Amino acid sequence: MARNEEKAQSMLNRFIALKAEEKKKPKERRPYLASECRDLAEADKWRQQIMREIGRKVAEIQNEGLGEHRLRDLNDEINKLIREKSHWERRIVELGGPNYSKYSAKMTDLEGNIVDVPNPSGRGPGYRYFGAAKKLPGVRELFEKPPELRKRRTRYDIYKRIDASYYGYRDDEDGVLERVEGPSEERIRAEAVEEWQRMEEIRKEAKRAVKSGEVASVVNVAAKEVLFEEEEEVVEEERRREREMKENLDKEREFVVHVPLPDEKEIEKMVLEKKKMELLSKYASDMLLEEQSEAKTMLNIQR
């Protein structure tokens, strides 16, 4: 029995393989422009072919060991195929087919969150990054969220939220505060009234005892304390008035000088004379000063 290689090389098998190749149609090439396609089924077929190519390249770009240049080239090729796919999708819609662009996949960041596709030109689907290309230098920063800057509140923003309730003017409107503080308020008020009435009775009793002259026998200890407090208050008030009167008198009292004091003009004149004498003693001789004094005496000049 001959081997398989010998069977393949036999004349009959080669003839059959040649005939099978002749029956095959020549391999069709995808049109360069989507507008050249006139058949909806053909357009859908070319779109599926592009989708398969994109899938192969996306699987390949997941390998981080390919190197930066290869990753960038693969990412560029995938984006080129995506743009071509969008052309075919528009052509399919023009030919009456379904709109595939509605269900296109979104781009995600390293954490899987959907992000906006960078599209500076404003046309087309925009440039996307896939697989390991997202971790390339300069690309990672595009997916990083900027830190949230906490805006400092201005004085206007602070006062904008302040109303009457902030100062407690509306605490009594809901009735909660009244229900909570009502019993305590009544109790404190009753205690204050009772204390005031007790002190009033003690004062009246003390005054009656003072008028009748029976302080030692009638006035009790509490009455004595009340009288002592009243006397202390009166004494303190008198002392305070005396201090105020003394301060007023000190303020009103003027300082009296018993010696005549020179005014400003006389002081200036004395200073000028002193400077003049210093200059004369510095630049004039003793003889000249004597002659000057004799001349003043003869002329009866007092200056």
Side-chain angles (χ1 to χ4, degrees):
M1 184 176 178
R3 290 176 298 178
N4 293 332
E5 290 83 356
E6 295 176 354
K7 290 181 180 179
Q9 295 298 328
S10 64
M11 183 65 69
L12 180 60
N13 289 333
R14 283 188 290 172
F15 177 76
I16 294 172
L18 184 61
K19 287 295 181 180
E21 289 179 3
E22 289 178 357
K23 290 180 180 179
K24 285 183 180 179
K25 294 181 179 179
K27 189 175 181 180
E28 294 185 62
R29 217 176 149 186
R30 188 167 65 240
Y32 182 73
L33 297 175
S35 58
E36 296 177 357
C37 183
R38 299 287 186 270
D39 188 12
L40 178 61
E42 290 289 326
D44 193 79
K45 182 183 74 172
W46 299 130
R47 178 184 173 276
Q48 293 294 333
Q49 184 184 19
I50 295 172
M51 292 287 290
R52 288 191 294 271
E53 293 179 10
I54 292 174
R56 286 196 300 271
K57 293 184 182 295
V58 168
E60 185 180 356
I61 204 174
Q62 303 299 324
N63 186 6
E64 299 182 7
L66 294 176
E68 180 180 349
H69 299 289
R70 178 57 181 160
L71 289 173
R72 291 186 185 276
D73 293 341
L74 275 174
N75 202 75
D76 292 339
E77 293 172 7
I78 293 171
N79 279 276
K80 183 179 179 181
L81 290 171
I82 288 174
R83 287 195 298 271
E84 189 175 354
K85 180 175 72 72
S86 64
H87 296 326
W88 284 104
E89 287 174 353
R90 284 198 295 271
R91 183 58 180 168
I92 289 171
V93 173
E94 292 173 359
L95 294 174
N99 188 5
Y100 294 105
S101 58
K102 287 184 179 180
Y103 312 104
S104 59
K106 306 293 183 181
M107 190 175 71
T108 58
D109 57 6
L110 297 174
E111 299 176 357
N113 302 318
I114 297 175
V115 295
D116 296 331
V117 179
N119 190 10
S121 64
R123 297 179 297 176
Y127 195 87
R128 299 167 182 256
Y129 292 93
F130 299 89
K134 295 179 182 179
K135 300 180 182 179
L136 292 174
V139 180
R140 183 188 292 271
E141 289 77 7
L142 297 175
F143 297 99
E144 291 179 354
K145 294 181 180 179
E148 296 182 0
L149 298 176
R150 189 173 181 182
K151 187 179 179 182
R152 186 176 181 182
R153 290 195 303 171
T154 60
R155 188 177 293 274
Y156 171 75
D157 296 332
I158 295 172
Y159 282 108
K160 189 167 61 176
R161 294 176 174 83
I162 295 178
D163 52 6
S165 60
Y166 175 81
Y167 296 101
Y169 295 134
R170 296 178 181 172
D171 292 345
D172 299 334
E173 293 182 359
D174 54 0
V176 176
L177 190 64
E178 185 177 358
R179 290 196 300 271
V180 173
E181 295 184 353
S184 300
E185 183 180 357
E186 293 176 359
R187 179 176 55 80
I188 295 171
R189 185 175 296 175
E191 291 177 357
V193 171
E194 184 180 354
E195 181 67 19
W196 179 79
Q197 290 176 353
R198 188 177 68 83
M199 296 299 292
E200 283 294 319
E201 290 178 0
I202 294 173
R203 287 192 182 93
K204 290 178 182 179
E205 193 174 321
K207 288 179 181 178
R208 285 197 302 268
V210 170
K211 288 180 181 179
S212 61
E214 299 174 354
V215 178
S217 59
V218 179
V219 180
N220 53 19
V221 178
K224 290 180 180 179
E225 291 178 358
V226 172
L227 288 174
F228 182 74
E229 290 177 0
E230 289 183 354
E231 290 177 359
E232 286 290 330
E233 290 177 359
V234 172
V235 172
E236 185 67 27
E237 184 68 22
E238 289 294 332
R239 289 177 180 174
R240 187 178 61 79
R241 289 179 183 176
E242 289 179 0
R243 284 197 301 270
E244 290 179 357
M245 291 177 64
K246 189 176 181 181
E247 290 175 359
N248 293 333
L249 288 174
D250 292 340
K251 290 180 181 178
E252 293 176 359
R253 187 180 300 167
E254 295 181 358
F255 181 72
V256 179
V257 181
H258 301 283
V259 180
L261 296 175
D263 55 1
E264 292 185 3
K265 291 183 178 179
E266 293 178 355
I267 292 173
E268 290 178 0
K269 186 177 179 181
M270 293 170 63
V271 171
L272 184 62
E273 288 292 334
K274 186 177 181 181
K275 289 183 178 180
K276 188 186 294 184
M277 293 301 296
E278 290 177 355
L279 291 173
L280 286 172
S281 63
K282 186 175 181 180
Y283 296 105
S285 61
D286 296 337
M287 187 178 295
L288 184 62
L289 291 175
E290 291 178 359
E291 291 177 357
Q292 186 180 4
S293 61
E294 290 176 359
K296 286 183 179 180
T297 305
M298 292 173 63
L299 295 173
N300 197 14
I301 297 174
Q302 300 297 328
R303 293 186 302 167

CSV table of all heavy atoms in Angstrom, one decimal, residues 72-103:
chain,number,residue,atom,x,y,z
A,72,ARG,N,1.2,50.5,19.6
A,72,ARG,CA,0.7,51.7,19.0
A,72,ARG,C,0.2,51.4,17.5
A,72,ARG,O,-0.8,51.9,17.1
A,72,ARG,CB,1.7,52.8,19.0
A,72,ARG,CG,2.0,53.4,20.4
A,72,ARG,CD,2.9,54.6,20.4
A,72,ARG,NE,3.2,55.0,21.7
A,72,ARG,CZ,2.5,55.8,22.5
A,72,ARG,NH1,1.3,56.3,22.0
A,72,ARG,NH2,2.9,56.2,23.7
A,73,ASP,N,1.0,50.6,16.8
A,73,ASP,CA,0.6,50.3,15.4
A,73,ASP,C,-0.7,49.5,15.4
A,73,ASP,O,-1.6,49.8,14.5
A,73,ASP,CB,1.7,49.5,14.7
A,73,ASP,CG,3.0,50.4,14.5
A,73,ASP,OD1,2.8,51.6,14.5
A,73,ASP,OD2,4.1,49.8,14.3
A,74,LEU,N,-0.8,48.5,16.3
A,74,LEU,CA,-2.0,47.7,16.3
A,74,LEU,C,-3.2,48.6,16.7
A,74,LEU,O,-4.3,48.4,16.1
A,74,LEU,CB,-1.9,46.6,17.4
A,74,LEU,CG,-1.2,45.3,16.9
A,74,LEU,CD1,-1.0,44.4,18.1
A,74,LEU,CD2,-2.1,44.6,15.8
A,75,ASN,N,-3.0,49.5,17.6
A,75,ASN,CA,-4.1,50.4,18.0
A,75,ASN,C,-4.6,51.3,16.8
A,75,ASN,O,-5.8,51.5,16.6
A,75,ASN,CB,-3.7,51.2,19.2
A,75,ASN,CG,-4.9,51.7,20.0
A,75,ASN,OD1,-5.6,51.0,20.7
A,75,ASN,ND2,-5.2,53.0,19.8
A,76,ASP,N,-3.6,51.8,16.1
A,76,ASP,CA,-3.9,52.6,14.9
A,76,ASP,C,-4.7,51.7,13.8
A,76,ASP,O,-5.6,52.2,13.2
A,76,ASP,CB,-2.6,53.1,14.3
A,76,ASP,CG,-2.0,54.2,15.2
A,76,ASP,OD1,-2.7,54.7,16.0
A,76,ASP,OD2,-0.8,54.4,15.0
A,77,GLU,N,-4.2,50.5,13.6
A,77,GLU,CA,-4.9,49.6,12.7
A,77,GLU,C,-6.4,49.3,13.1
A,77,GLU,O,-7.3,49.3,12.3
A,77,GLU,CB,-4.2,48.3,12.5
A,77,GLU,CG,-2.8,48.5,11.8
A,77,GLU,CD,-2.0,47.2,11.9
A,77,GLU,OE1,-2.5,46.2,12.3
A,77,GLU,OE2,-0.8,47.2,11.5
A,78,ILE,N,-6.6,49.1,14.4
A,78,ILE,CA,-7.9,48.9,14.9
A,78,ILE,C,-8.8,50.1,14.7
A,78,ILE,O,-10.0,50.0,14.3
A,78,ILE,CB,-7.9,48.4,16.4
A,78,ILE,CG1,-7.2,47.1,16.5
A,78,ILE,CG2,-9.3,48.4,17.0
A,78,ILE,CD1,-6.9,46.7,18.0
A,79,ASN,N,-8.3,51.3,15.0
A,79,ASN,CA,-9.1,52.5,14.8
A,79,ASN,C,-9.4,52.7,13.3
A,79,ASN,O,-10.5,53.2,13.0
A,79,ASN,CB,-8.3,53.7,15.4
A,79,ASN,CG,-8.5,53.8,16.9
A,79,ASN,OD1,-9.5,54.4,17.4
A,79,ASN,ND2,-7.5,53.3,17.6
A,80,LYS,N,-8.5,52.4,12.4
A,80,LYS,CA,-8.7,52.5,11.0
A,80,LYS,C,-9.9,51.5,10.6
A,80,LYS,O,-10.7,51.9,9.8
A,80,LYS,CB,-7.4,52.2,10.2
A,80,LYS,CG,-7.6,52.4,8.7
A,80,LYS,CD,-6.3,52.1,8.0
A,80,LYS,CE,-6.4,52.2,6.5
A,80,LYS,NZ,-5.2,51.9,5.8
A,81,LEU,N,-9.8,50.3,11.1
A,81,LEU,CA,-10.9,49.3,10.8
A,81,LEU,C,-12.2,49.8,11.3
A,81,LEU,O,-13.3,49.6,10.7
A,81,LEU,CB,-10.5,48.0,11.3
A,81,LEU,CG,-9.4,47.2,10.6
A,81,LEU,CD1,-9.0,46.0,11.4
A,81,LEU,CD2,-9.8,46.9,9.1
A,82,ILE,N,-12.2,50.4,12.5
A,82,ILE,CA,-13.5,50.9,13.1
A,82,ILE,C,-14.1,52.0,12.3
A,82,ILE,O,-15.3,52.1,12.0
A,82,ILE,CB,-13.2,51.4,14.6
A,82,ILE,CG1,-13.0,50.2,15.5
A,82,ILE,CG2,-14.4,52.2,15.1
A,82,ILE,CD1,-12.6,50.6,16.9
A,83,ARG,N,-13.2,52.9,11.8
A,83,ARG,CA,-13.7,54.0,10.9
A,83,ARG,C,-14.3,53.4,9.6
A,83,ARG,O,-15.4,53.8,9.1
A,83,ARG,CB,-12.6,54.9,10.5
A,83,ARG,CG,-12.2,55.9,11.7
A,83,ARG,CD,-11.3,57.0,11.1
A,83,ARG,NE,-10.1,56.6,10.5
A,83,ARG,CZ,-9.0,56.4,11.2
A,83,ARG,NH1,-9.0,56.6,12.6
A,83,ARG,NH2,-7.9,56.0,10.6
A,84,GLU,N,-13.6,52.4,9.0
A,84,GLU,CA,-14.1,51.7,7.8
A,84,GLU,C,-15.5,51.0,8.2
A,84,GLU,O,-16.4,51.0,7.3
A,84,GLU,CB,-13.1,50.7,7.3
A,84,GLU,CG,-13.5,50.1,6.0
A,84,GLU,CD,-12.3,49.2,5.4
A,84,GLU,OE1,-11.3,49.2,6.1
A,84,GLU,OE2,-12.6,48.6,4.4
A,85,LYS,N,-15.6,50.4,9.3
A,85,LYS,CA,-16.8,49.7,9.7
A,85,LYS,C,-18.0,50.7,9.8
A,85,LYS,O,-19.1,50.4,9.4
A,85,LYS,CB,-16.6,49.0,11.1
A,85,LYS,CG,-17.9,48.3,11.6
A,85,LYS,CD,-17.6,47.6,12.8
A,85,LYS,CE,-17.4,48.5,14.0
A,85,LYS,NZ,-18.7,49.1,14.5
A,86,SER,N,-17.7,51.9,10.3
A,86,SER,CA,-18.7,53.0,10.4
A,86,SER,C,-19.2,53.4,9.0
A,86,SER,O,-20.4,53.6,8.8
A,86,SER,CB,-18.2,54.2,11.2
A,86,SER,OG,-17.1,54.8,10.5
A,87,HIS,N,-18.3,53.4,8.0
A,87,HIS,CA,-18.7,53.7,6.6
A,87,HIS,C,-19.6,52.7,6.1
A,87,HIS,O,-20.7,53.0,5.5
A,87,HIS,CB,-17.4,53.8,5.7
A,87,HIS,CG,-16.5,55.0,6.1
A,87,HIS,ND1,-17.0,56.1,6.6
A,87,HIS,CD2,-15.1,55.0,6.0
A,87,HIS,CE1,-15.9,56.9,6.9
A,87,HIS,NE2,-14.8,56.3,6.5
A,88,TRP,N,-19.3,51.4,6.3
A,88,TRP,CA,-20.2,50.3,5.9
A,88,TRP,C,-21.5,50.3,6.6
A,88,TRP,O,-22.5,50.0,6.0
A,88,TRP,CB,-19.5,49.0,6.0
A,88,TRP,CG,-18.4,48.7,5.0
A,88,TRP,CD1,-17.1,48.8,5.2
A,88,TRP,CD2,-18.6,48.4,3.6
A,88,TRP,NE1,-16.4,48.5,4.0
A,88,TRP,CE2,-17.3,48.3,3.0
A,88,TRP,CE3,-19.7,48.2,2.8
A,88,TRP,CZ2,-17.2,47.9,1.7
A,88,TRP,CZ3,-19.6,47.8,1.5
A,88,TRP,CH2,-18.3,47.7,0.9
A,89,GLU,N,-21.5,50.7,7.8
A,89,GLU,CA,-22.8,50.7,8.6
A,89,GLU,C,-23.7,51.8,8.0
A,89,GLU,O,-24.9,51.7,7.9
A,89,GLU,CB,-22.5,51.0,10.1
A,89,GLU,CG,-22.0,49.7,10.8
A,89,GLU,CD,-21.6,50.0,12.2
A,89,GLU,OE1,-21.6,51.2,12.6
A,89,GLU,OE2,-21.2,49.0,12.9
A,90,ARG,N,-23.1,53.0,7.7
A,90,ARG,CA,-23.9,54.0,7.0
A,90,ARG,C,-24.4,53.6,5.7
A,90,ARG,O,-25.5,53.9,5.3
A,90,ARG,CB,-23.1,55.3,6.9
A,90,ARG,CG,-22.9,56.1,8.2
A,90,ARG,CD,-22.4,57.5,8.0
A,90,ARG,NE,-21.1,57.5,7.4
A,90,ARG,CZ,-20.0,57.6,8.0
A,90,ARG,NH1,-20.0,57.5,9.4
A,90,ARG,NH2,-18.8,57.6,7.4
A,91,ARG,N,-23.6,52.8,4.9
A,91,ARG,CA,-24.0,52.4,3.6
A,91,ARG,C,-25.1,51.4,3.8
A,91,ARG,O,-26.1,51.3,2.9
A,91,ARG,CB,-22.8,51.7,2.9
A,91,ARG,CG,-23.1,51.3,1.5
A,91,ARG,CD,-23.6,52.4,0.6
A,91,ARG,NE,-23.9,52.0,-0.7
A,91,ARG,CZ,-24.6,52.7,-1.6
A,91,ARG,NH1,-25.1,53.9,-1.2
A,91,ARG,NH2,-24.8,52.3,-2.8
A,92,ILE,N,-25.1,50.5,4.8
A,92,ILE,CA,-26.1,49.5,5.0
A,92,ILE,C,-27.5,50.3,5.3
A,92,ILE,O,-28.5,49.9,4.8
A,92,ILE,CB,-25.8,48.6,6.2
A,92,ILE,CG1,-24.6,47.7,5.7
A,92,ILE,CG2,-26.9,47.8,6.7
A,92,ILE,CD1,-24.0,46.8,6.9
A,93,VAL,N,-27.4,51.3,6.1
A,93,VAL,CA,-28.6,52.1,6.4
A,93,VAL,C,-29.1,52.7,5.1
A,93,VAL,O,-30.3,52.8,4.8
A,93,VAL,CB,-28.3,53.2,7.4
A,93,VAL,CG1,-29.5,54.1,7.6
A,93,VAL,CG2,-27.9,52.5,8.7
A,94,GLU,N,-28.2,53.2,4.2
A,94,GLU,CA,-28.7,53.8,3.0
A,94,GLU,C,-29.3,52.8,2.0
A,94,GLU,O,-30.3,53.1,1.3
A,94,GLU,CB,-27.5,54.4,2.2
A,94,GLU,CG,-26.9,55.7,2.9
A,94,GLU,CD,-25.6,56.1,2.3
A,94,GLU,OE1,-25.2,55.5,1.3
A,94,GLU,OE2,-25.0,57.1,2.8
A,95,LEU,N,-28.9,51.5,2.1
A,95,LEU,CA,-29.4,50.5,1.3
A,95,LEU,C,-30.7,49.9,1.9
A,95,LEU,O,-31.3,48.9,1.4
A,95,LEU,CB,-28.4,49.4,1.1
A,95,LEU,CG,-27.2,49.8,0.2
A,95,LEU,CD1,-26.2,48.7,0.2
A,95,LEU,CD2,-27.6,50.2,-1.2
A,96,GLY,N,-31.1,50.4,3.1
A,96,GLY,CA,-32.4,49.9,3.7
A,96,GLY,C,-32.2,48.9,4.8
A,96,GLY,O,-33.1,48.2,5.2
A,97,GLY,N,-30.9,48.7,5.2
A,97,GLY,CA,-30.7,47.7,6.3
A,97,GLY,C,-30.8,48.3,7.7
A,97,GLY,O,-31.1,49.4,7.9
A,98,PRO,N,-30.5,47.4,8.7
A,98,PRO,CA,-30.6,47.9,10.1
A,98,PRO,C,-29.4,48.9,10.4
A,98,PRO,O,-28.4,48.9,9.8
A,98,PRO,CB,-30.4,46.6,10.9
A,98,PRO,CG,-29.7,45.7,10.0
A,98,PRO,CD,-30.1,46.0,8.6
A,99,ASN,N,-29.7,49.7,11.5
A,99,ASN,CA,-28.7,50.7,11.9
A,99,ASN,C,-27.9,50.0,13.0
A,99,ASN,O,-28.3,50.0,14.2
A,99,ASN,CB,-29.4,51.9,12.4
A,99,ASN,CG,-28.4,53.0,12.7
A,99,ASN,OD1,-27.2,52.9,12.5
A,99,ASN,ND2,-28.9,54.1,13.3
A,100,TYR,N,-26.7,49.5,12.7
A,100,TYR,CA,-25.8,48.9,13.7
A,100,TYR,C,-25.1,49.8,14.6
A,100,TYR,O,-24.6,49.5,15.7
A,100,TYR,CB,-24.8,48.0,13.0
A,100,TYR,CG,-25.3,46.8,12.2
A,100,TYR,CD1,-25.4,46.8,10.8
A,100,TYR,CD2,-25.8,45.7,12.9
A,100,TYR,CE1,-26.0,45.8,10.1
A,100,TYR,CE2,-26.3,44.6,12.2
A,100,TYR,CZ,-26.4,44.7,10.8
A,100,TYR,OH,-26.9,43.6,10.2
A,101,SER,N,-25.0,51.1,14.2
A,101,SER,CA,-24.3,52.1,15.0
A,101,SER,C,-24.9,52.4,16.4
A,101,SER,O,-24.3,52.9,17.3
A,101,SER,CB,-24.1,53.4,14.2
A,101,SER,OG,-25.3,53.9,13.9
A,102,LYS,N,-26.2,52.1,16.5
A,102,LYS,CA,-26.9,52.3,17.7
A,102,LYS,C,-26.4,51.4,18.8
A,102,LYS,O,-26.4,51.7,20.0
A,102,LYS,CB,-28.4,52.1,17.6
A,102,LYS,CG,-29.1,53.2,16.8
A,102,LYS,CD,-30.6,53.0,16.8
A,102,LYS,CE,-31.3,54.1,16.0
A,102,LYS,NZ,-32.8,53.8,16.0
A,103,TYR,N,-26.0,50.2,18.4
A,103,TYR,CA,-25.6,49.2,19.4
A,103,TYR,C,-24.1,49.0,19.5
A,103,TYR,O,-23.6,47.9,19.9
A,103,TYR,CB,-26.3,47.9,19.1
A,103,TYR,CG,-27.7,48.0,18.8
A,103,TYR,CD1,-28.2,48.0,17.5
A,103,TYR,CD2,-28.6,48.2,19.8
A,103,TYR,CE1,-29.5,48.1,17.2
A,103,TYR,CE2,-30.0,48.3,19.5
A,103,TYR,CZ,-30.4,48.3,18.2
A,103,TYR,OH,-31.8,48.5,18.0
